[in-house]
Amino acid sequence: MAPRKPKKSKKKEVLPEGMSRREAKLAARAAERAQFAKDPRPYGGLAMETDLIALQEFVPSAVAKVEVKGTPVNIVTVLPGAGAAMVRPEDQGSERFVALQVQSHSQNPHRDLAYALNWVLDAEPGATLGSTVADGSQPELSSLISADATLSITEHQDFGWWFAEGTDVSPEIRQAMARANDAVLPSTQVKADVPGTAWWVNPGGGKAHIRWVRPEENENQMLNALARIAARGELNLGEGTKFAGAFRTHGVVVPVWDLDPSVDAASYVDALVTLNKAIEAEYASDAQLNADERKQLDNIKSRQVTI
């Protein structure tokens, strides 16, 4: 008979005070689920919320400067290879860049942004970060960026800013940048004194658009406000414009208008201000929708997408 193997000694499991083993396992699973649960409004509470959403979702090429724990960082739309972050080499200024439009990400962009910002603060010159997926080691975004901090955005119509002036890059990289430049749609921010962030874009095909990222807390209430204005025939930005619909993203509503591409983007400033007064008045109303308004609401919802 073969000798019996000695039993492996089990380490005594350390449990949280007052918890049984089963309770501890359930608590650990709940904590794991909470870590990966989708936050319905990831950038909520930040003054730069609507700017971050615009830069992440549809602005093609822009650089936004912000201070992170006293260190200047560039939050940008996209970096070479759709990477997450990089620090320029020392001889090119050691500038720090973090991208919002990335190849690899989780369903919680605020955690991904916090992860990349935290990484770039201590990264060495010349270092790059390929994936921005948060792994749980990142601090809260609110501990890195002040809630009242704003972005200083510089828009570009190409990606020449990827490299410091005078940088010698390979023909392959120049070719990749040329392809990226060809994909950039003419875009500019419409700087009206209104809540949220409005961007004009011309994708070609005979129509330009304004996308207005609104900051309201209640999405359904916002859609009701748009429906009331639409029922009066006033949901437009002036002659030759048409309300195209709205999409939801990161917990906010983004109304979109079709425009004549030959009309200068800055000419819509007054129309945005006027329409904003109507939106704010209707958003504050708790009146029930009438038949025409319900019809308009159904029409808006039928064309609505969530991204």
Side-chain angles (χ1 to χ4, degrees):
M1 183 183 289
R4 294 177 66 181
K5 291 182 181 179
K7 288 184 179 180
K8 291 182 180 178
S9 61
K10 289 185 178 179
K11 259 189 176 181
K12 190 173 180 181
E13 192 174 355
V14 179
L15 300 172
E17 188 176 349
M19 279 192 183
S20 66
R21 182 179 287 107
R22 181 174 180 278
E23 288 170 335
K25 283 184 178 179
L26 290 174
R29 287 173 188 166
E32 186 177 4
R33 283 196 300 271
Q35 179 184 341
F36 295 104
K38 185 174 181 179
D39 190 320
R41 189 150 184 180
Y43 299 123
L46 296 177
M48 62 177 71
E49 176 186 25
T50 58
D51 282 330
L52 288 173
I53 291 171
L55 294 175
Q56 183 171 326
E57 295 303 328
F58 55 79
V59 176
S61 180
V63 178
K65 294 188 179 294
V66 68
E67 289 226 339
V68 182
K69 288 190 170 181
T71 300
V73 175
N74 298 294
I75 294 179
V76 306
T77 50
V78 65
L79 287 171
M86 71 177 190
V87 184
R88 281 181 177 165
E90 195 169 358
D91 61 356
Q92 296 174 28
S94 303
E95 275 192 273
R96 296 168 171 83
F97 294 82
V98 168
L100 291 169
Q101 299 174 27
V102 295
Q103 188 171 23
S104 180
H105 58 84
S106 76
Q107 63 178 350
N108 283 299
H110 62 311
R111 297 179 191 176
D112 294 346
L113 178 58
Y115 179 82
L117 288 173
N118 194 50
W119 176 88
V120 84
L121 288 180
D122 298 320
E124 295 294 324
T128 60
L129 178 67
S131 171
T132 189
V133 178
D135 63 0
S137 66
Q138 75 284 349
E140 291 291 327
L141 184 58
S142 58
S143 72
L144 298 170
I145 299 176
S146 173
D148 58 1
T150 57
L151 293 177
S152 175
I153 300 174
T154 301
E155 57 201 47
H156 297 271
Q157 304 306 321
D158 58 35
F159 291 102
W161 55 267
W162 275 354
F163 305 101
E165 192 174 344
T167 302
D168 186 23
V169 297
S170 69
E172 292 81 9
I173 292 177
R174 288 200 179 278
Q175 191 174 25
M177 188 167 70
R179 287 195 298 270
N181 289 343
D182 289 341
V184 172
L185 301 178
S187 304
T188 187
Q189 188 172 6
V190 186
K191 295 181 179 178
D193 186 16
V194 294
T197 304
W199 279 79
W200 177 97
V201 60
N202 183 8
K207 289 180 183 176
H209 307 291
I210 279 181
R211 296 164 178 160
W212 190 358
V213 187
R214 298 287 309 192
E216 281 76 11
E217 293 286 337
N218 190 311
E219 296 172 82
N220 290 326
Q221 199 171 326
M222 180 63 184
L223 294 178
N224 287 348
L226 296 176
R228 291 192 187 98
I229 299 168
R232 301 198 299 264
E234 297 173 3
L235 191 55
N236 59 69
L237 296 175
E239 187 178 351
T241 71
K242 181 183 177 183
F243 178 67
F247 62 89
R248 297 188 189 204
T249 184
H250 304 309
V252 300
V253 174
V254 184
V256 181
W257 287 266
D258 291 338
L259 317 164
D260 180 345
S262 67
V263 177
D264 185 69
S267 67
Y268 294 104
V269 167
D270 290 343
L272 287 167
V273 171
T274 299
L275 183 56
N276 180 64
K277 291 177 183 175
I279 290 174
E280 290 187 339
E282 295 300 346
Y283 183 82
S285 172
D286 58 2
Q288 294 293 315
L289 299 182
N290 62 34
D292 287 342
E293 292 165 348
R294 285 196 301 273
K295 185 177 178 181
Q296 289 295 334
L297 179 61
D298 290 341
N299 185 39
I300 291 171
K301 286 184 174 180
S302 70
R303 292 178 289 160
Q304 181 182 253
V305 295
T306 300
I307 62 174

